Amino acid sequence: MQGKEFCFYINDALRNDDKELLTLLMPVIRAINANCVAQRGAESAIPRDVWPANGLCYRGGELPKAHHGFYSAGRKYRVPGFLATSLQQGVADSFIKRHFFLSGSDCVVLWIIQVPPNCAQVSFVEHSNVGREQEFLFAPYSVFTVLRVELSPAPSELAPHRVFLSAAQDNRSEPEDLPLAPWF
């Protein structure tokens, strides 16, 4: 699969609204999403012992310069794909290092997401491909608000851009016509 994970292809099809590929992927997308939202309203959906004390989760990756302007403080938007995050910043840092070293990209970013208690559109992934990752997976079209952006003057694996977000409590309470993130 050209060195990319299956989740990349799912999110790429969602992001680009690729009707042909989405037709093929829809059974998988529906199954994953059903698992994400099946836990809504369940008190025990995310075990209290894994919920982060600080309410933060992390995602490491890239943020192309062409999309920096989209992420400005106060902007509320939807992510047109599954958003995998980790409760451990070290896991996100490892993704940043991978992007930096494999692609030589200087557009590395650490997403820091504040998740409210009992967030309706996030689920805890107990068994991940990254051992002991403690993954929070947000359902497609989850809503986030940009709290602040810190652009690094010389982005690297040790000094990535940092984007601070707040996840919405419940996507169903948010406007459906919010802008879609061009990159996530």
Side-chain angles (χ1 to χ4, degrees), residues 93 96-101 105-106 108 154-160:
D93 291 342
I96 291 169
K97 287 177 186 170
R98 184 174 79 177
H99 282 285
F100 186 76
F101 287 113
S105 171
D106 66 348
V108 288
S156 70
E157 77 279 11
L158 299 176

Side-chain angles (χ1 to χ4, degrees), residues 17-38:
D17 201 20
D18 183 330
K19 291 177 183 21
E20 184 179 339
L21 191 52
L22 283 171
T23 299
L24 298 171
L25 290 171
M26 199 48 67
V28 174
I29 292 169
R30 289 185 60 148
I32 296 170
N33 194 49
N35 183 57
C36 286
V37 298

